[in-house]
Amino acid sequence: MNRTIVKTREAHDFLALVPQLAGFQPEQSLVLVAFRGNRTCGAMRFNLPDRTVPEKVLKRIATTLVGTICKIPGVDALVPVIYTDEPIAAVTGLPQERFVEVLCARARLSGFLLRDALCVADDGWGSYFDPDCPAGGHPLSAIASSEVHRDIPDAVRRDIATLSSRADLPTVDPSMRERLGRRLARYHRLGAEAGTMSELLELAGDILDPVVAAETALGFDPQNLGLDDAAALLFLVQGPACRDQMMLQFAFGEEVGRNTHCLNLRYAILQRATGRSVDDIIGEERAAGVDSPHSQVTSDLMLGLGRERPDPVRIEQAIRLFKVLVALAPRKARPAPLCMLAWLSWAMGRGSVAGIFVDQALAIDRHYGMAELLNAVFGSGHLPDWAFAVPPDDETADA
Protein backbone atom coordinates (compact mmCIF):
# COMPACT_ATOMS: atom_id res chain seq x y z
CA MET A 1 0.00 0.00 0.00
CA ASN A 2 1.42 3.36 -1.04
CA ARG A 3 1.02 6.13 1.48
CA THR A 4 2.06 9.74 1.42
CA ILE A 5 3.00 10.85 4.91
CA VAL A 6 3.14 14.56 5.70
CA LYS A 7 3.76 15.33 9.36
CA THR A 8 2.00 18.32 10.92
CA ARG A 9 3.30 19.36 14.32
CA GLU A 10 1.39 22.61 14.80
CA ALA A 11 -2.24 23.56 14.25
CA HIS A 12 -1.37 26.03 11.48
CA ASP A 13 0.54 23.25 9.67
CA PHE A 14 -2.50 21.03 9.89
CA LEU A 15 -4.66 23.84 8.47
CA ALA A 16 -2.22 24.16 5.57
CA LEU A 17 -2.84 20.49 4.80
CA VAL A 18 -6.67 20.47 5.01
CA PRO A 19 -7.33 21.89 1.50
CA GLN A 20 -5.08 19.17 0.08
CA LEU A 21 -7.08 16.54 1.98
CA ALA A 22 -10.38 18.01 0.84
CA GLY A 23 -9.23 18.64 -2.73
CA PHE A 24 -10.40 22.27 -2.76
CA GLN A 25 -10.22 25.46 -0.73
CA PRO A 26 -13.23 25.32 1.61
CA GLU A 27 -15.45 28.37 1.96
CA GLN A 28 -18.41 28.79 4.32
CA SER A 29 -17.94 25.16 5.27
CA LEU A 30 -17.38 22.63 7.99
CA VAL A 31 -14.69 20.11 7.11
CA LEU A 32 -14.57 17.02 9.30
CA VAL A 33 -11.12 15.47 9.08
CA ALA A 34 -11.21 11.82 10.11
CA PHE A 35 -8.32 9.84 11.62
CA ARG A 36 -7.33 6.23 12.08
CA GLY A 37 -4.81 6.43 14.85
CA ASN A 38 -2.37 9.22 14.00
CA ARG A 39 -3.18 9.31 10.29
CA THR A 40 -5.91 11.07 8.39
CA CYS A 41 -8.21 8.84 6.36
CA GLY A 42 -10.78 11.25 4.97
CA ALA A 43 -12.09 14.79 4.88
CA MET A 44 -15.80 15.51 4.42
CA ARG A 45 -17.25 18.93 3.71
CA PHE A 46 -20.66 20.19 4.90
CA ASN A 47 -22.52 23.47 4.70
CA LEU A 48 -22.45 25.65 7.81
CA PRO A 49 -25.76 25.98 9.65
CA ASP A 50 -27.33 29.38 9.97
CA ARG A 51 -26.11 31.10 13.13
CA THR A 52 -29.70 31.74 14.27
CA VAL A 53 -30.98 28.14 14.29
CA PRO A 54 -32.07 26.82 17.71
CA GLU A 55 -29.91 24.40 19.65
CA LYS A 56 -32.26 21.45 19.07
CA VAL A 57 -31.74 21.87 15.32
CA LEU A 58 -27.98 22.07 15.82
CA LYS A 59 -28.14 18.80 17.76
CA ARG A 60 -29.99 17.10 14.91
CA ILE A 61 -27.48 18.41 12.38
CA ALA A 62 -24.54 17.31 14.53
CA THR A 63 -26.02 13.84 15.01
CA THR A 64 -26.43 13.43 11.26
CA LEU A 65 -22.88 14.59 10.52
CA VAL A 66 -21.30 12.35 13.14
CA GLY A 67 -23.40 9.46 11.85
CA THR A 68 -21.96 10.03 8.39
CA ILE A 69 -18.42 9.85 9.75
CA CYS A 70 -19.30 6.61 11.52
CA LYS A 71 -19.63 4.96 8.11
CA ILE A 72 -15.88 5.30 7.46
CA PRO A 73 -14.23 2.06 8.66
CA GLY A 74 -11.79 2.35 11.55
CA VAL A 75 -12.23 6.06 12.31
CA ASP A 76 -11.43 6.82 15.94
CA ALA A 77 -10.70 10.57 16.00
CA LEU A 78 -11.85 13.81 14.38
CA VAL A 79 -10.82 17.40 13.86
CA PRO A 80 -13.66 19.73 12.88
CA VAL A 81 -12.48 22.78 10.90
CA ILE A 82 -14.79 25.74 10.34
CA TYR A 83 -14.19 27.98 7.31
CA THR A 84 -16.15 31.22 7.49
CA ASP A 85 -16.13 34.76 6.15
CA GLU A 86 -17.29 36.01 9.56
CA PRO A 87 -14.39 37.95 11.12
CA ILE A 88 -13.03 36.73 14.44
CA ALA A 89 -12.76 40.34 15.54
CA ALA A 90 -16.54 40.72 15.21
CA VAL A 91 -17.45 38.02 17.78
CA THR A 92 -16.65 37.00 21.31
CA GLY A 93 -14.56 33.86 21.06
CA LEU A 94 -14.59 32.27 17.60
CA PRO A 95 -17.31 32.17 14.92
CA GLN A 96 -19.75 29.22 15.01
CA GLU A 97 -18.69 28.42 18.58
CA ARG A 98 -22.14 27.22 19.64
CA PHE A 99 -22.36 24.78 16.72
CA VAL A 100 -18.85 23.45 17.34
CA GLU A 101 -19.62 22.83 21.01
CA VAL A 102 -22.71 20.79 20.07
CA LEU A 103 -20.82 18.91 17.35
CA CYS A 104 -17.92 18.02 19.64
CA ALA A 105 -20.30 16.83 22.35
CA ARG A 106 -22.07 14.54 19.86
CA ALA A 107 -18.74 13.23 18.53
CA ARG A 108 -17.54 12.36 22.04
CA LEU A 109 -20.83 10.58 22.80
CA SER A 110 -20.17 8.44 19.72
CA GLY A 111 -16.73 7.49 21.04
CA PHE A 112 -14.55 9.74 18.90
CA LEU A 113 -11.45 11.46 20.19
CA LEU A 114 -11.46 15.19 19.37
CA ARG A 115 -7.85 16.01 18.53
CA ASP A 116 -8.65 19.69 18.04
CA ALA A 117 -11.38 21.97 16.69
CA LEU A 118 -10.23 24.83 14.49
CA CYS A 119 -11.57 27.91 12.78
CA VAL A 120 -10.28 29.74 9.71
CA ALA A 121 -11.89 33.14 9.27
CA ASP A 122 -11.27 36.11 7.00
CA ASP A 123 -9.00 37.83 9.51
CA GLY A 124 -7.29 34.98 11.34
CA TRP A 125 -7.47 31.45 12.68
CA GLY A 126 -7.80 29.85 16.07
CA SER A 127 -8.57 26.74 18.09
CA TYR A 128 -11.84 26.35 19.97
CA PHE A 129 -9.86 24.31 22.53
CA ASP A 130 -7.26 27.03 23.15
CA PRO A 131 -8.20 29.24 26.13
CA ASP A 132 -5.28 31.54 25.30
CA CYS A 133 -6.30 32.13 21.67
CA PRO A 134 -5.77 35.87 20.94
CA ALA A 135 -8.92 38.00 20.68
CA GLY A 136 -8.36 38.52 16.96
CA GLY A 137 -7.04 35.03 16.30
CA HIS A 138 -3.66 34.02 14.96
CA PRO A 139 -2.42 35.50 11.66
CA LEU A 140 -3.37 33.69 8.46
CA SER A 141 0.19 34.18 7.27
CA ALA A 142 1.25 31.26 9.51
CA ILE A 143 -0.90 28.93 7.37
CA ALA A 144 0.29 30.42 4.10
CA SER A 145 3.97 30.10 5.06
CA SER A 146 3.74 26.62 6.59
CA GLU A 147 6.48 24.18 5.58
CA VAL A 148 3.72 21.69 4.79
CA HIS A 149 3.30 23.36 1.40
CA ARG A 150 6.88 22.43 0.62
CA ASP A 151 6.69 18.93 2.07
CA ILE A 152 3.80 17.68 -0.09
CA PRO A 153 5.36 15.68 -2.97
CA ASP A 154 4.62 16.99 -6.45
CA ALA A 155 3.30 13.56 -7.46
CA VAL A 156 0.36 13.81 -5.05
CA ARG A 157 -0.06 17.58 -4.78
CA ARG A 158 -3.53 18.71 -5.87
CA ASP A 159 -4.34 21.88 -7.72
CA ILE A 160 -6.45 23.74 -5.20
CA ALA A 161 -9.44 25.75 -6.32
CA THR A 162 -12.62 26.84 -4.62
CA LEU A 163 -15.59 24.50 -4.45
CA SER A 164 -17.72 26.52 -6.87
CA SER A 165 -14.90 26.74 -9.41
CA ARG A 166 -15.03 22.95 -9.80
CA ALA A 167 -18.36 23.52 -11.55
CA ASP A 168 -17.05 26.30 -13.80
CA LEU A 169 -17.35 25.65 -17.52
CA PRO A 170 -14.43 26.28 -19.87
CA THR A 171 -14.38 29.05 -22.44
CA VAL A 172 -15.25 27.72 -25.90
CA ASP A 173 -15.21 29.09 -29.43
CA PRO A 174 -18.52 30.95 -30.04
CA SER A 175 -18.53 29.93 -33.69
CA MET A 176 -18.17 26.26 -32.66
CA ARG A 177 -21.10 26.66 -30.29
CA GLU A 178 -23.23 28.19 -33.05
CA ARG A 179 -22.36 25.43 -35.53
CA LEU A 180 -23.07 22.74 -32.95
CA GLY A 181 -26.44 24.31 -32.20
CA ARG A 182 -27.38 24.23 -35.90
CA ARG A 183 -26.22 20.62 -36.25
CA LEU A 184 -28.20 19.50 -33.22
CA ALA A 185 -31.30 21.41 -34.36
CA ARG A 186 -31.09 19.56 -37.68
CA TYR A 187 -31.03 16.21 -35.89
CA HIS A 188 -34.05 17.18 -33.83
CA ARG A 189 -35.99 18.42 -36.86
CA LEU A 190 -35.54 15.05 -38.52
CA GLY A 191 -37.44 13.44 -35.68
CA ALA A 192 -39.80 16.24 -34.77
CA GLU A 193 -41.21 16.64 -38.28
CA ALA A 194 -42.05 12.95 -38.43
CA GLY A 195 -43.08 12.69 -34.78
CA THR A 196 -40.44 10.03 -34.21
CA MET A 197 -37.91 11.70 -31.90
CA SER A 198 -37.77 8.80 -29.43
CA GLU A 199 -37.34 6.32 -32.28
CA LEU A 200 -34.64 8.49 -33.81
CA LEU A 201 -32.72 8.53 -30.53
CA GLU A 202 -32.98 4.75 -30.32
CA LEU A 203 -31.91 4.41 -33.93
CA ALA A 204 -28.90 6.64 -33.33
CA GLY A 205 -27.96 4.43 -30.39
CA ASP A 206 -28.28 1.30 -32.53
CA ILE A 207 -26.19 2.73 -35.37
CA LEU A 208 -23.46 4.32 -33.29
CA ASP A 209 -23.31 1.65 -30.56
CA PRO A 210 -23.28 3.79 -27.41
CA VAL A 211 -20.90 1.40 -25.64
CA VAL A 212 -18.25 1.87 -28.30
CA ALA A 213 -19.11 5.57 -28.45
CA ALA A 214 -18.53 5.96 -24.70
CA GLU A 215 -15.14 4.24 -24.83
CA THR A 216 -14.16 6.30 -27.86
CA ALA A 217 -15.29 9.51 -26.15
CA LEU A 218 -12.89 8.89 -23.28
CA GLY A 219 -10.08 9.15 -25.80
CA PHE A 220 -11.18 12.57 -27.09
CA ASP A 221 -9.07 15.61 -26.31
CA PRO A 222 -11.58 17.98 -24.65
CA GLN A 223 -9.59 20.99 -25.81
CA ASN A 224 -9.79 19.89 -29.45
CA LEU A 225 -13.25 18.35 -29.63
CA GLY A 226 -14.45 18.09 -33.22
CA LEU A 227 -17.88 19.26 -34.33
CA ASP A 228 -19.02 15.83 -35.57
CA ASP A 229 -17.94 14.08 -32.36
CA ALA A 230 -19.50 16.75 -30.13
CA ALA A 231 -22.80 16.74 -32.03
CA ALA A 232 -23.09 12.94 -32.05
CA LEU A 233 -22.23 12.63 -28.36
CA LEU A 234 -24.57 15.43 -27.31
CA PHE A 235 -27.42 13.96 -29.36
CA LEU A 236 -26.88 10.47 -27.97
CA VAL A 237 -27.09 11.54 -24.33
CA GLN A 238 -30.43 13.25 -24.90
CA GLY A 239 -31.92 9.77 -24.73
CA PRO A 240 -32.22 8.66 -21.07
CA ALA A 241 -31.09 5.11 -21.84
CA CYS A 242 -27.86 6.20 -23.55
CA ARG A 243 -27.29 8.92 -20.96
CA ASP A 244 -27.42 6.54 -18.01
CA GLN A 245 -25.49 3.77 -19.75
CA MET A 246 -22.65 6.09 -20.74
CA MET A 247 -22.57 7.65 -17.29
CA LEU A 248 -22.18 4.29 -15.56
CA GLN A 249 -19.72 3.12 -18.18
CA PHE A 250 -17.50 6.16 -17.67
CA ALA A 251 -17.36 5.29 -13.98
CA PHE A 252 -17.17 1.50 -13.93
CA GLY A 253 -15.89 0.39 -17.31
CA GLU A 254 -16.98 -1.18 -20.57
CA GLU A 255 -18.47 -4.35 -19.09
CA VAL A 256 -20.93 -2.37 -16.98
CA GLY A 257 -21.72 -0.26 -20.04
CA ARG A 258 -22.41 -3.35 -22.16
CA ASN A 259 -24.61 -4.94 -19.49
CA THR A 260 -26.57 -1.71 -19.08
CA HIS A 261 -26.99 -1.35 -22.83
CA CYS A 262 -28.31 -4.93 -23.11
CA LEU A 263 -30.73 -4.19 -20.30
CA ASN A 264 -31.92 -1.04 -22.06
CA LEU A 265 -32.48 -2.95 -25.31
CA ARG A 266 -34.51 -5.58 -23.47
CA TYR A 267 -36.78 -2.98 -21.92
CA ALA A 268 -37.14 -1.16 -25.24
CA ILE A 269 -38.38 -4.37 -26.88
CA LEU A 270 -40.85 -5.02 -24.04
CA GLN A 271 -42.02 -1.42 -24.16
CA ARG A 272 -42.75 -1.60 -27.89
CA ALA A 273 -44.51 -4.95 -27.51
CA THR A 274 -46.70 -3.97 -24.57
CA GLY A 275 -47.09 -0.21 -24.94
CA ARG A 276 -46.30 0.13 -21.24
CA SER A 277 -43.73 2.43 -19.65
CA VAL A 278 -40.35 1.13 -18.52
CA ASP A 279 -41.23 1.99 -14.91
CA ASP A 280 -44.42 -0.08 -15.14
CA ILE A 281 -42.54 -3.04 -16.64
CA ILE A 282 -39.84 -2.95 -13.96
CA GLY A 283 -42.48 -2.62 -11.21
CA GLU A 284 -44.44 -5.61 -12.50
CA GLU A 285 -41.31 -7.75 -12.80
CA ARG A 286 -40.19 -6.97 -9.29
CA ALA A 287 -43.67 -7.57 -7.87
CA ALA A 288 -43.58 -10.98 -9.55
CA GLY A 289 -40.09 -11.63 -8.19
CA VAL A 290 -38.60 -11.71 -11.66
CA ASP A 291 -35.61 -9.37 -11.70
CA SER A 292 -34.22 -8.98 -15.19
CA PRO A 293 -30.50 -9.64 -15.74
CA HIS A 294 -28.27 -6.84 -14.49
CA SER A 295 -31.23 -4.65 -13.44
CA GLN A 296 -30.48 -4.76 -9.72
CA VAL A 297 -26.77 -4.14 -10.28
CA THR A 298 -27.51 -1.18 -12.54
CA SER A 299 -30.00 0.42 -10.16
CA ASP A 300 -27.68 -0.14 -7.19
CA LEU A 301 -24.78 1.53 -8.99
CA MET A 302 -26.98 4.50 -9.91
CA LEU A 303 -27.89 4.97 -6.24
CA GLY A 304 -24.37 4.39 -4.96
CA LEU A 305 -25.20 1.11 -3.24
CA GLY A 306 -22.14 -1.11 -3.02
CA ARG A 307 -18.48 -0.88 -2.11
CA GLU A 308 -17.06 -1.35 -5.61
CA ARG A 309 -15.14 1.84 -6.24
CA PRO A 310 -15.44 3.58 -9.63
CA ASP A 311 -12.37 4.39 -11.70
CA PRO A 312 -11.33 7.99 -10.82
CA VAL A 313 -9.16 8.40 -13.92
CA ARG A 314 -12.06 7.58 -16.24
CA ILE A 315 -14.42 9.82 -14.29
CA GLU A 316 -12.07 12.80 -14.32
CA GLN A 317 -11.59 12.45 -18.08
CA ALA A 318 -15.37 12.25 -18.59
CA ILE A 319 -15.90 15.33 -16.41
CA ARG A 320 -13.39 17.34 -18.42
CA LEU A 321 -15.04 16.24 -21.66
CA PHE A 322 -18.61 16.94 -20.56
CA LYS A 323 -17.78 20.36 -19.17
CA VAL A 324 -16.69 21.30 -22.69
CA LEU A 325 -19.79 19.63 -24.14
CA VAL A 326 -22.10 21.59 -21.82
CA ALA A 327 -20.29 24.83 -22.63
CA LEU A 328 -20.87 24.16 -26.34
CA ALA A 329 -24.44 22.91 -26.01
CA PRO A 330 -27.57 24.97 -26.67
CA ARG A 331 -29.44 25.74 -23.46
CA LYS A 332 -32.25 23.20 -24.08
CA ALA A 333 -29.73 20.40 -24.64
CA ARG A 334 -27.83 21.01 -21.40
CA PRO A 335 -29.89 19.19 -18.70
CA ALA A 336 -28.78 15.70 -19.79
CA PRO A 337 -25.01 16.35 -19.76
CA LEU A 338 -25.37 18.51 -16.64
CA CYS A 339 -26.98 15.57 -14.84
CA MET A 340 -24.16 13.33 -16.01
CA LEU A 341 -21.66 15.83 -14.59
CA ALA A 342 -23.65 15.90 -11.35
CA TRP A 343 -23.69 12.13 -10.93
CA LEU A 344 -20.02 11.73 -11.87
CA SER A 345 -19.04 14.44 -9.36
CA TRP A 346 -21.19 12.79 -6.68
CA ALA A 347 -19.56 9.44 -7.47
CA MET A 348 -16.22 11.07 -6.62
CA GLY A 349 -17.60 12.25 -3.28
CA ARG A 350 -18.13 15.86 -4.40
CA GLY A 351 -21.73 16.22 -3.34
CA SER A 352 -21.65 20.00 -3.17
CA VAL A 353 -20.29 20.31 -6.72
CA ALA A 354 -22.88 17.80 -7.89
CA GLY A 355 -25.59 19.99 -6.36
CA ILE A 356 -24.42 22.97 -8.40
CA PHE A 357 -24.77 21.02 -11.65
CA VAL A 358 -28.24 19.76 -10.67
CA ASP A 359 -29.36 23.29 -9.83
CA GLN A 360 -28.20 24.41 -13.27
CA ALA A 361 -30.17 21.60 -14.93
CA LEU A 362 -33.32 22.42 -12.96
CA ALA A 363 -32.96 26.12 -13.80
CA ILE A 364 -33.30 25.11 -17.46
CA ASP A 365 -36.03 22.47 -17.01
CA ARG A 366 -37.51 22.18 -13.54
CA HIS A 367 -39.35 18.99 -14.53
CA TYR A 368 -36.36 17.16 -15.98
CA GLY A 369 -36.73 13.71 -14.42
CA MET A 370 -33.08 12.85 -13.85
CA ALA A 371 -32.42 16.24 -12.25
CA GLU A 372 -35.40 15.79 -9.91
CA LEU A 373 -34.17 12.33 -8.89
CA LEU A 374 -30.61 13.50 -8.27
CA ASN A 375 -31.86 16.54 -6.38
CA ALA A 376 -33.79 14.25 -4.03
CA VAL A 377 -30.78 11.95 -3.52
CA PHE A 378 -28.31 14.79 -2.95
CA GLY A 379 -30.77 16.72 -0.80
CA SER A 380 -31.01 13.77 1.58
CA GLY A 381 -27.26 13.99 2.18
CA HIS A 382 -26.75 10.48 0.82
CA LEU A 383 -23.25 9.70 -0.39
CA PRO A 384 -22.33 6.57 -2.38
CA ASP A 385 -21.29 3.60 -0.28
CA TRP A 386 -17.92 3.45 -2.00
CA ALA A 387 -17.09 6.90 -0.62
CA PHE A 388 -16.72 5.19 2.77
CA ALA A 389 -14.71 2.20 1.56
CA VAL A 390 -11.01 2.06 2.33
CA PRO A 391 -9.12 2.53 -0.96
CA PRO A 392 -6.30 0.10 -1.73
CA ASP A 393 -3.76 2.95 -1.99
CA ASP A 394 -4.80 5.65 0.44
CA GLU A 395 -2.88 8.87 0.86
CA THR A 396 -2.56 9.69 4.53
CA ALA A 397 -0.91 12.28 6.70
CA ASP A 398 0.46 12.13 10.20
CA ALA A 399 -0.86 14.81 12.51
Side-chain angles (χ1 to χ4, degrees):
M1 181 180 292
N2 298 322
R3 287 193 175 99
T4 300
I5 298 177
V6 179
K7 294 185 180 293
T8 60
R9 305 185 190 283
E10 304 291 341
H12 64 269
D13 294 322
F14 179 76
L15 290 174
L17 184 65
V18 171
Q20 286 289 327
L21 296 173
F24 58 89
Q25 180 59 53
E27 298 175 327
Q28 293 299 106
S29 303
L30 161 69
V31 176
L32 286 178
V33 182
F35 287 77
R36 293 190 195 99
N38 291 328
R39 291 178 175 172
T40 60
C41 59
M44 305 188 74
R45 180 243 173 228
F46 305 93
N47 291 330
L48 290 178
D50 190 280
R51 293 189 298 273
T52 62
V53 300
E55 186 162 334
K56 63 180 181 180
V57 175
L58 290 181
K59 288 180 178 180
R60 287 202 296 269
I61 294 171
T63 300
T64 300
L65 300 186
V66 173
T68 301
I69 292 294
C70 287
K71 294 181 180 180
I72 304 176
V75 173
D76 55 16
L78 297 175
V79 174
V81 185
I82 297 289
Y83 289 86
T84 177
D85 58 11
E86 185 180 7
I88 294 177
V91 299
T92 301
L94 293 172
Q96 293 283 342
E97 197 160 88
R98 189 165 60 101
F99 173 51
V100 172
E101 287 176 356
V102 172
L103 178 65
C104 289
R106 281 290 186 265
R108 290 189 180 102
L109 281 174
S110 298
F112 292 112
L113 170 68
L114 272 298
R115 292 178 168 273
D116 207 337
L118 302 165
C119 175
V120 180
D122 271 357
D123 57 349
W125 68 273
S127 169
Y128 294 95
F129 294 172
D130 180 8
D132 299 320
C133 181
H138 300 286
L140 295 173
S141 58
I143 302 173
S145 62
S146 169
E147 292 186 357
V148 163
H149 299 295
R150 181 201 64 198
D151 294 342
I152 299 171
D154 291 340
V156 298
R157 186 188 303 275
R158 304 187 191 187
D159 293 329
I160 300 300
T162 62
L163 183 68
S164 60
S165 68
R166 280 190 174 273
D168 288 347
L169 300 178
T171 301
V172 294
D173 182 357
S175 65
M176 172 78 162
R177 184 191 297 124
E178 184 179 346
R179 285 183 288 135
L180 179 61
R182 289 199 301 266
R183 178 72 62 88
L184 198 63
R186 189 183 311 153
Y187 292 164
H188 280 273
R189 280 198 302 272
L190 288 173
E193 289 172 0
T196 58
M197 180 52 66
S198 60
E199 288 84 352
L200 185 61
L201 281 167
E202 290 176 12
L203 180 61
D206 291 340
I207 293 173
L208 295 176
D209 188 341
V211 178
V212 173
E215 289 302 302
T216 302
L218 286 177
F220 291 161
D221 178 359
Q223 302 305 314
N224 295 289
L225 187 60
L227 176 63
D228 291 341
D229 291 332
L233 192 55
L234 185 58
F235 185 71
L236 271 178
V237 300
Q238 300 304 308
C242 285
R243 177 200 64 204
D244 296 350
Q245 167 253 310
M246 286 188 169
M247 189 174 69
L248 290 176
Q249 184 174 338
F250 289 148
F252 293 100
E254 187 172 356
E255 183 179 355
V256 168
R258 182 65 64 190
N259 291 341
T260 305
H261 181 50
C262 290
L263 184 66
N264 290 339
L265 290 177
R266 177 178 178 275
Y267 283 132
I269 292 170
L270 288 173
Q271 193 175 8
R272 290 192 192 101
T274 64
R276 301 181 66 80
S277 71
V278 173
D279 288 342
D280 286 343
I281 294 170
I282 293 174
E284 289 172 358
E285 288 185 340
R286 289 186 176 172
V290 182
D291 257 348
S292 56
H294 311 302
S295 63
Q296 190 63 50
V297 172
T298 298
S299 61
D300 284 354
L301 290 177
M302 287 282 290
L303 295 173
L305 304 177
R307 292 292 176 122
E308 179 188 352
R309 296 176 70 86
D311 187 325
V313 175
R314 291 172 65 92
I315 289 181
E316 295 293 6
Q317 174 65 8
I319 287 175
R320 286 190 292 270
L321 173 63
F322 272 77
K323 280 185 175 182
V324 173
L325 201 62
V326 170
L328 289 169
R331 178 177 169 82
K332 288 185 178 180
R334 288 186 170 191
L338 280 170
C339 284
M340 295 176 74
L341 283 172
W343 188 89
L344 291 167
S345 298
W346 176 75
M348 292 292 286
R350 303 170 191 155
S352 300
V353 177
I356 294 173
F357 287 127
V358 166
D359 288 344
Q360 291 174 359
L362 290 172
I364 297 170
D365 183 353
R366 63 190 180 92
H367 297 301
Y368 190 72
M370 183 63 166
E372 290 181 318
L373 172 63
L374 293 178
N375 193 46
V377 172
F378 301 163
S380 71
H382 174 65
L383 286 173
D385 288 350
W386 55 76
F388 303 99
V390 180
D393 296 311
D394 62 338
E395 296 172 6
T396 59
D398 277 359

